[in-house]
């Protein structure tokens, strides 16, 4: 069993508030189910969100959390263009 894949997609910057809300949801979710992968996708990622994601003490969440910025130019979108990934 690998666990669930949880994804949040926002049409704006992934800021500290969005990251905190998602982390709270993950804390509640992991009490009843296993988390295999947790992803937030947004237009860009604030510095505060990077810092918050790197300070997570819960290894279950920190080892499975990925923040992704949407590609700027959607017509050139492919998997190779996902250079702005934070784990």
């Amino acid at each position: 069993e690998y666990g669930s894949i949880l994804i949040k997609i926002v049409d704006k910057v992934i800021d500290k508030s969005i990251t905190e809300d998602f982390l709270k949801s993950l804390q509640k979710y992991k009490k009843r189910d296993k988390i295999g992968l947790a992803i937030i996708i947004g237009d860009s990622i604030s510095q505060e969100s990077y810092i918050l994601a790197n300070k997570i003490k819960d290894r279950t969440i920190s080892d499975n959390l990925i923040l992704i910025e949407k590609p700027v130019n959607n017509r050139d979108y492919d998997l190779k263009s996902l250079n702005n990934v934070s784990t």
Side-chain angles (χ1 to χ4, degrees), residues 3-32:
S4 300
I5 298 172
L6 306 163
I7 302 172
K8 180 176 185 86
I9 301 172
V10 295
D11 289 324
K12 55 185 173 182
V13 174
I14 300 169
D15 60 16
K16 185 177 179 181
S17 175
I18 290 170
T19 306
E20 287 173 337
D21 289 344
F22 191 63
L23 293 174
K24 287 177 189 172
S25 296
L26 294 176
Q27 289 288 345
K28 290 179 186 175
Y29 186 86
K30 79 171 203 149
K31 290 179 182 177
R32 33 176 228 279

Side-chain angles (χ1 to χ4, degrees), residues 14-16 19-20 23 45-57 62 65 67 86-87:
I14 300 169
D15 60 16
K16 185 177 179 181
T19 306
E20 287 173 337
L23 293 174
I45 305 166
S46 74
Q47 190 65 29
E48 294 154 334
S49 288
Y50 278 120
I51 292 167
L52 183 60
N54 286 322
K55 288 185 177 181
I56 300 169
K57 294 179 183 176
S62 65
L65 178 64
L67 306 177
S86 171
T87 59

